[in-house]
Amino acid sequence: MAEADYVVTLSTGKVRVNNKILPETYTVRKGDSLYKIARRFYGDGARWRELYEKNAAKLKHPCLVPEGTVLFL
């Protein structure tokens, strides 16, 4: 497992560092997008490009993420 430090803005408006242990992979579920996955694991959906670059060999297009695809985080 990899450790990721990133800044998270809480619903109260406060900012904190999140240093959760992230899994190495994630299996795409129905309704997922790279944006949603990046927001969930990195705390920032704008980091979807990082996911795409890590998994470009598996994905034909960043908008098309087939259900069941195992992505590297």
Side-chain angles (χ1 to χ4, degrees), residues 26 28 31-42 44-53 55-56 59 61-65 71-72:
Y26 173 75
V28 177
D32 277 344
S33 66
L34 292 179
Y35 182 89
K36 289 179 184 178
I37 297 167
R39 186 176 63 200
R40 178 176 175 188
F41 290 103
Y42 297 154
D44 183 4
R47 293 179 63 187
W48 67 266
R49 285 181 180 87
E50 293 177 42
L51 278 176
Y52 180 70
E53 289 170 4
N55 297 283
L59 303 172
H61 191 276
C63 293
L64 304 174
V65 185
L71 300 177
F72 293 109

